[in-house]
Amino acid sequence: MKTRLLLLLLTVCCPLALPSAASNDSISQHITTYNDKRPLVYEDAWDLWPYAFLNENGDPVGFNIDLLKMICKELNIPYVIKLKPTADALNDLKEGKADLMCGMDAHFHNEYASYGTSVIQIFTHSVLHHKDEPVKIKRFEDLASQQVIVHGGSFSHHLMISRGWGKNAIPYDDMQDAVRKVHITPGSQIVWNTLSLDYLIRKFQYKDLELTPVNIQHGEYKFMSNGPRLLQQFDSVYSVLDANDQLQSIQN
């Protein structure tokens, strides 16, 4: 297994150390050898539990963070991690202030970077509601007639806007506050990523709330970068780690 991984790393790493023959400046400027003076800059959301978020000490934690550390260790790449509002992280990626992030493969992200081929996570959607209230949202079309809290700029928010239902969306930036809102407000509800909502209701131990799956298009989470060779690196190492069940511990 180690020999296989070593051969793969040599394949994907060596091109990064060679001068680029490409004439396209936008491509060649991203062919970088990362070192202590020029570490890889990784940015992500600071409120996407349990994937990327700041803990009580203000440190970046979550699945995405553990995955980044694991792959960078295999590649022997030094890195810097910055967690920000998603819109800020995307803009930094577009402007070259960041090298890599994880994000939804969706048309509204296309202007910021290219996607890798590896599907890191599948995002499903659920509605958060009071246990003693009837479920009003079971399928995507129900959002046409229901007011619902969404994470501002999220996949579900964009879907509602694209279908002309934006007036029914109540965007929140602070989803912890949104969950508290549902807890104290009868009749309120949230549609968002299932695992993120599950994490928050367990964190605050809200026994009066529950999740019900919603039939909304799944979202594919992938590496995002404007460096094609960097994407090739991460996709290749991710594939080997996944095939060898080395990701099981952080997936659990």
Side-chain angles (χ1 to χ4, degrees):
M1 183 175 68
K2 291 183 177 179
T3 301
R4 182 184 175 190
L5 182 57
L6 178 60
L7 290 173
L8 182 141
L9 296 182
L10 288 173
T11 300
V12 297
C13 290
C14 287
L16 294 180
L18 298 175
S20 171
S23 59
N24 189 329
D25 290 339
S26 65
I27 298 293
S28 62
Q29 68 180 346
H30 291 286
I31 301 175
T32 304
T33 300
Y34 299 102
N35 51 50
D36 291 336
K37 293 183 178 180
R38 172 57 172 98
L40 180 145
V41 178
Y42 177 84
E43 295 193 9
D44 209 328
W46 61 6
D47 58 356
L48 192 61
W49 308 271
Y51 305 101
F53 61 101
L54 296 173
N55 65 14
E56 290 76 7
N57 298 320
D59 301 318
V61 294
F63 173 82
N64 294 358
I65 308 306
D66 290 341
L67 179 61
L68 171 80
K69 292 178 178 178
M70 183 178 289
I71 294 179
C72 284
K73 181 179 180 181
E74 297 292 347
L75 293 171
N76 194 27
I77 292 178
Y79 56 85
V80 173
I81 299 171
K82 301 178 181 180
L83 299 189
K84 302 180 175 184
T86 303
D88 293 346
L90 286 167
N91 283 325
D92 283 353
L93 193 63
K94 181 179 181 179
E95 295 171 5
K97 298 176 182 178
D99 302 301
L100 183 74
M101 73 177 293
C102 295
M104 191 77 71
D105 186 346
H107 68 89
F108 49 85
H109 286 159
N110 290 350
E111 65 177 290
Y112 299 100
S114 298
Y115 307 100
T117 57
S118 300
V119 179
I120 302 167
Q121 293 287 344
I122 296 292
F123 277 14
T124 64
H125 294 82
S126 293
V127 56
L128 177 68
H129 59 94
H130 282 265
K131 289 182 178 179
D132 59 353
E133 295 178 349
V135 181
K136 300 175 182 177
I137 301 172
K138 296 181 180 179
R139 58 196 184 100
F140 180 51
E141 288 73 16
D142 293 334
L143 296 173
S145 59
Q146 289 290 322
Q147 283 212 324
V148 62
I149 295 172
V150 294
H151 192 342
S154 66
F155 192 55
S156 49
H157 189 196
H158 277 282
L159 284 176
M160 290 182 70
I161 292 173
S162 69
R163 292 291 291 269
W165 307 333
K167 65 181 184 302
N168 290 335
I170 307 170
Y172 264 68
D173 291 326
D174 185 344
M175 293 308 287
Q176 293 186 105
D177 186 49
V179 171
R180 293 190 193 99
K181 172 75 172 178
V182 174
H183 171 60
I184 64 175
T185 309
S188 57
Q189 51 196 348
I190 299 174
V191 169
W192 194 33
N193 173 45
T194 301
L195 285 183
S196 297
L197 288 171
D198 180 65
Y199 182 94
L200 291 176
I201 60 176
R202 286 188 291 108
K203 175 182 177 180
F204 295 116
Q205 299 182 16
Y206 289 150
K207 305 298 185 182
D208 60 325
L209 303 180
E210 66 179 358
L211 294 172
T212 299
V214 180
N215 185 20
I216 294 179
Q217 173 187 345
H218 295 346
E220 294 185 345
Y221 216 56
K222 299 179 178 180
F223 297 116
M224 293 180 65
S225 177
N226 285 302
R229 294 190 183 181
L230 181 62
L231 284 175
Q232 181 188 32
Q233 270 191 307
F234 269 71
D235 279 332
S236 298
V237 176
Y238 177 88
S239 296
V240 173
L241 294 174
D242 188 39
N244 292 327
D245 293 327
Q246 291 175 265
L247 300 176
Q248 195 65 48
S249 60
I250 62 173
Q251 286 172 340
N252 290 341

